[in-house]
Amino acid sequence: MAILAGAVASISGFGIGSLITPLLAFKVGTGIAVAGVSIAHFLGTAFRFWKWKQYVNRMILLSFGITSAIGGLAGALLHNIFQNVILTIIFGCLLVFAGISGITGLSGKLRFNGPAAWIAGALSGMFGGLVGNQGGIRSAAMFGFDLKGKEFVATATGIALAVDCARMPVYFCTQLKDILSIWPWIAVASVGVLMGTEIGVRILGKIPEAIFKKTVSGIILLIGIFVLIHR
């Protein structure tokens, strides 16, 4: 699953936390899973960013991305308090809606400028801190910007990296002992994610721009269904 998650993230700009966190949560509990998977997520995201950094849209990274990182920090501070099944169900439903909107073309009518971009970034980042699965919502929100495939993935990756840098110190300060207790799971997930990332990077270059957004929307829909089934 970690290899698949890494490959999916390289194509869509998200997917590592969405796919791995629910599975690890069965073994160790959601709170610890979110914190532990953040390490594999950071490694895969950093590697992906290094591959695509020349395609990053700096303007979106510095607007949407900044508030996304702030939201990620807030979510990380609150995730042990508000983490529950209801929140996960709401998140899964949002992903399903976002995926269907992208496939049907509804999301193409959205355009984010000014305050709307900042608000969308903050909300997606907060979900990242709360449930470890902000990527789907972030990518759905980023359909509101006119970005090409590689630019979309590179910018989403840069934002995800900023969110990780904001939330991970909180996890380490509050749950270090728990994180260390599941280090074998984290190691396996990290290796798998890095392998999958390399595979996905090669696939992305072969996806035509005309079908890129529908491909990402389909992934968002499937991950939303996955989250609901494995809540």
Side-chain angles (χ1 to χ4, degrees):
M1 181 60 76
I3 294 175
L4 174 62
V8 167
S10 291
I11 296 170
S12 63
F14 73 97
I16 295 174
S18 302
L19 290 173
I20 302 177
T21 302
L23 294 180
L24 185 57
F26 278 117
K27 298 287 186 179
V28 300
T30 303
I32 302 175
V34 170
V37 172
S38 71
I39 296 175
H41 188 281
F42 172 80
L43 292 174
T45 302
F47 181 47
R48 190 167 71 250
F49 182 76
W50 178 74
K51 289 280 188 179
W52 296 116
K53 59 183 180 296
Q54 67 269 32
Y55 297 104
V56 172
N57 185 303
R58 296 179 183 275
M59 183 177 295
I60 295 175
L61 180 62
L62 293 175
S63 58
F64 186 97
I66 288 175
T67 52
S68 189
I70 294 173
L73 175 59
L77 291 169
L78 297 172
H79 92 284
N80 279 329
I81 299 174
F82 292 103
Q83 182 59 243
N84 54 56
V85 174
I86 294 177
L87 182 62
T88 303
I89 292 174
I90 293 173
F91 176 73
C93 290
L94 287 174
L95 287 182
V96 169
F97 174 76
I100 293 174
S101 296
I103 292 173
T104 59
L106 178 61
S107 64
K109 299 178 181 179
L110 297 175
R111 285 295 179 268
F112 291 140
N113 293 294
W118 294 80
I119 293 171
L123 291 176
S124 67
M126 183 168 288
F127 265 113
L130 282 171
V131 297
N133 296 316
Q134 59 118 1
I137 295 296
R138 182 189 63 239
S139 290
M142 285 183 64
F143 282 152
F145 303 105
D146 187 19
L147 299 174
K148 301 296 183 181
K150 291 180 181 178
E151 190 180 15
F152 181 97
V153 172
T155 305
T157 298
I159 294 170
L161 196 58
V163 172
D164 280 346
C165 289
R167 67 188 177 119
M168 288 179 67
V170 177
Y171 298 152
F172 292 151
C173 288
T174 59
Q175 296 175 273
L176 182 60
K177 184 177 180 180
D178 291 330
I179 293 173
L180 292 176
S181 71
I182 61 167
W183 72 264
W185 293 101
I186 296 173
V188 170
S190 298
V191 172
V193 164
L194 290 172
M195 292 172 60
T197 298
E198 180 62 33
I199 294 171
V201 164
R202 298 182 183 184
I203 295 174
L204 176 62
K206 300 179 181 179
I207 298 178
E209 291 291 342
I211 65 171
F212 174 76
K213 286 189 177 181
K214 291 191 181 298
T215 300
V216 174
S217 296
I219 293 172
I220 291 173
L221 175 60
L222 291 175
I223 288 181
I225 295 172
F226 176 83
V227 169
L228 290 173
I229 292 175
H230 292 84
R231 64 183 185 277

